[in-house]
Amino acid sequence: MIASVLTIAKGGSGIVRTEDKTVFLPGVITGETVEFTIAGRLRSAWQGKLLRVLEPSPQRVEPRCPHYPECGGCNLQHMSYGEQLRCKTEILLGNLKMIAGVVPGAVPAAMASPPWRYRSKGEFQIRAGVAGFFARESHRLVAINGCLLLPEALESFFLAQRPRAGGMEKGQMQILSNGCDIAARLEAADGGETWLSDERAVRFTVGSYAYRFAPDNFIQANLFQLLPMLGLLERALEREAPATAVDLFCGGGFLTLPLAARCRDVLAMESDPGNITALRANLELNRATNVRIAAADVLHSDLPAADLFVVDPPRGGLSSRLIAALAGSGAGTIIYFSCDSATFARDLRLFLSRGFKLDELKLIDNFPQSDHFEIFSVLKKRRSQ
């Protein structure tokens, strides 16, 4: 079959149409004419297999990584970086329109990143003594000899430590780096743990803040976007000047510290014990004494009154219960960081129905070479007429 690629969907595949099917086709670019075959159905959608690119896009480039054809870590390496940003913006705008019924007055600004060597963490799967990443849409392991998304220090450490996985049937190697220093551990499927580095945490200096994170703590994926992300939050805080704030899904305190520097009182809520340990240490490291910590499942917790809430949830987004609680908290502003445009649009629709408006929106490209990205938004309570 031959067709033109209509657009790129969330997930990185292109959409093509036959007489009776909409088909998702990986490895293509909008506007290309391609030859393909139907490969079957996956999660109720028709999947295609690319046979040939008959009329390539001028934005098509040769993938730099030899593992790209099968590794599941990247899915956009065949596109120029500018085309990747264009596609991500289009995906965001499409989900906002289809799910939230929102058409922004202006195209959201995209915060670009250096496209290689940006990742703060590598998580390598181990199966039968081999370490690597899973293939696309499967749990089949792809043994790798390097990864261009990783800082060179992290990549070199992995290659040197790879033989340590040789006697392990199933497990994971977690390596965290600030671009120079390393903390790494080997975890077996039965819970056994071996540290591969002398240090068990890595120090990150971001602006005027210092952090220490362990490999199993949550930290934003892109080393180059840490300071710009804090800048977005700090500029919003300067405008809003809240006296009280709540940081939901706070992790190890990446966003908590700038809140503590600009608010009288801050409540930080987190459920993961390891992240809470890192949070306490980071508050002490920065002498932040105006932060209370609540160890709680944020999705099912009651919320206090506050001037401002910051939310940075996992990919599944918020719950309708939490959105109702946020809307009823009396807060005039909610700053929402999201790593999934579909769940963000779903949640935005509920916030709009409860009297909020979308006041600011930016796309943060935390994940070059893949279709994933981060969203920064400011939601403001509408004033009663």
Side-chain angles (χ1 to χ4, degrees):
M1 286 173 279
I2 296 175
S4 293
V5 181
L6 303 175
T7 189
I8 302 300
K10 183 176 179 290
S13 291
I15 295 178
V16 296
R17 291 201 174 97
T18 67
E19 289 184 359
D20 59 347
K21 295 180 179 68
T22 297
V23 182
F24 290 84
L25 188 63
V28 299
I29 301 176
T30 301
E32 290 187 326
T33 301
V34 296
E35 183 180 3
F36 66 99
T37 185
I38 303 293
R41 293 179 73 89
L42 180 65
R43 293 193 290 271
S44 76
W46 288 104
Q47 304 295 313
K49 180 180 179 181
L50 177 65
L51 299 178
R52 284 190 302 162
V53 178
L54 301 176
E55 296 180 15
S57 165
Q59 301 302 322
R60 179 169 285 276
V61 298
E62 187 66 26
R64 288 177 55 178
C65 177
H67 301 297
Y68 180 66
E70 55 179 346
C71 178
C74 298
N75 56 9
L76 299 184
Q77 273 198 39
H78 60 284
M79 298 181 184
S80 69
Y81 186 55
E83 180 67 5
Q84 292 181 33
L85 290 178
R86 191 199 68 78
C87 287
K88 294 180 186 189
T89 302
E90 191 172 74
I91 289 168
L92 173 57
L93 291 173
N95 279 330
L96 288 175
K97 182 177 180 179
M98 289 186 297
I99 300 171
V102 170
V103 178
V107 175
M111 293 170 52
S113 164
W116 306 101
R117 304 292 188 189
Y118 63 82
R119 286 198 67 95
S120 58
K121 186 183 294 187
E123 294 186 345
F124 304 91
Q125 304 302 319
I126 299 169
R127 297 291 185 274
V130 177
F133 298 132
F134 288 136
R136 293 192 185 106
E137 303 290 350
S138 83
H139 282 173
R140 177 177 64 84
L141 192 75
V142 177
I144 67 162
N145 297 310
C147 175
L148 294 171
L149 303 189
L150 304 176
E152 290 182 355
L154 199 163
E155 181 186 55
S156 297
F157 185 90
F158 163 70
L159 294 175
Q161 296 294 325
R162 187 171 47 174
R164 299 284 293 272
M168 184 175 291
E169 183 60 28
K170 184 178 180 181
Q172 185 181 74
M173 184 186 298
Q174 293 181 326
I175 308 175
L176 178 67
S177 177
N178 57 15
C180 298
D181 306 313
I182 297 287
R185 64 176 196 158
L186 198 60
E187 184 178 18
D190 62 6
E193 180 181 87
T194 302
W195 282 92
L196 304 176
S197 59
D198 294 332
E199 295 295 327
R200 299 198 174 192
V202 173
R203 185 183 176 105
F204 294 79
T205 301
V206 186
S208 59
Y209 309 106
Y211 304 86
R212 283 182 63 81
F213 291 111
D216 59 340
N217 294 144
F218 172 76
I219 179 174
Q220 295 292 340
N222 191 311
L223 292 170
F224 302 116
Q225 298 284 33
L226 296 177
L227 186 58
M229 288 183 71
L230 284 193
L232 288 173
L233 176 60
E234 290 180 324
R235 286 189 290 275
L237 293 174
E238 288 173 4
R239 292 193 304 269
E240 303 300 323
T244 58
V246 180
D247 187 4
L248 304 181
F249 311 95
C250 67
F254 178 65
L255 302 175
T256 312
L257 293 182
L259 288 172
R262 286 165 172 76
C263 302
R264 185 187 70 239
D265 296 304
V266 177
L267 173 65
M269 299 181 70
E270 170 63 37
S271 61
D272 180 78
N275 283 332
I276 292 174
T277 298
L279 170 64
R280 293 186 190 280
N282 287 328
L283 293 175
E284 182 176 351
L285 182 63
N286 291 268
R287 297 186 175 90
T289 59
N290 58 335
V291 178
R292 293 176 294 121
I293 299 172
D297 179 355
V298 175
L299 293 175
H300 301 95
S301 297
D302 294 329
L303 300 179
D307 298 328
L308 177 142
F309 283 83
V310 174
V311 298
D312 186 8
R315 199 168 298 280
L318 308 178
S319 64
S320 56
R321 180 190 183 280
L322 179 55
I323 291 172
L326 287 165
S329 68
T333 304
I334 296 169
I335 296 174
Y336 189 163
F337 286 90
S338 170
C339 57
D340 189 282
S341 59
T343 57
F344 171 74
R346 177 203 67 197
D347 293 346
L348 176 61
R349 177 170 52 84
L350 294 178
F351 277 115
L352 297 177
S353 71
R354 292 182 174 274
F356 283 84
K357 65 176 181 176
L358 180 61
D359 194 61
E360 185 177 354
L361 180 69
K362 283 188 171 59
L363 187 157
I364 310 168
D365 191 21
N366 272 7
F367 307 95
Q369 315 308 329
S370 85
D371 68 292
H372 299 296
F373 53 89
E374 193 89 6
I375 300 162
F376 169 80
S377 66
V378 178
L379 311 178
K380 300 282 297 234
K381 192 77 170 180
R382 295 182 183 276
R383 295 180 180 179
S384 300
Q385 299 297 320

